Amino acid sequence: MKWTNHPPKTLLQRSFLFGITGIALCLLALLNSYFKVLEAPMGPLNGVGLALQLLGLSLAVLVIRQRKLTPEIKEKAQKMILVLAVGLLFFILTL
């Protein structure tokens, strides 16, 4: 089944899950680079985190582009886009 065939509420839930997982992975990589808890390269972990944030952001944009959305879903999608865009920008600038 295509991603575009799912209801907007399901897409927003998946967007949230991908986004929060990506933020958590990038935060782990950032904290490890400062505190050196684990001696391992954090580049791949940071890359996966950024990719998950981009996936979450694209799902939220996919929701907002649909027609006939209820105002509450549209508002949630806009908030999700804002949060994920700021998080993505923050983690890109900290590289």
Side-chain angles (χ1 to χ4, degrees):
M1 188 174 201
K2 286 182 160 182
W3 286 80
T4 55
N5 295 340
H6 291 287
K9 204 166 202 171
T10 305
L11 290 176
L12 273 180
Q13 287 174 347
R14 290 180 183 173
S15 171
F16 175 76
L17 288 176
F18 287 138
I20 199 73
T21 305
I23 288 172
L25 289 177
C26 284
L27 194 59
L28 264 164
L30 183 66
L31 289 176
N32 191 40
S33 67
Y34 284 121
F35 295 122
K36 300 290 184 197
V37 176
L38 187 66
E39 287 297 325
M42 289 292 120
L45 187 65
N46 203 9
V48 169
L50 290 175
L52 284 173
Q53 287 181 41
L54 277 173
L55 184 61
L57 185 63
S58 65
L59 283 175
V61 169
L62 185 68
V63 168
I64 209 145
R65 291 193 60 192
Q66 290 181 354
R67 294 183 184 143
K68 299 179 185 176
L69 285 177
T70 61
E72 83 174 36
I73 290 181
K74 187 174 183 179
E75 182 180 336
K76 284 182 183 180
Q78 288 173 342
K79 287 180 185 177
M80 185 69 63
I81 290 171
L82 179 67
V83 168
L84 288 175
V86 169
L88 189 65
L89 184 66
F90 174 76
F91 288 117
I92 286 175
L93 291 177
T94 58
L95 288 178

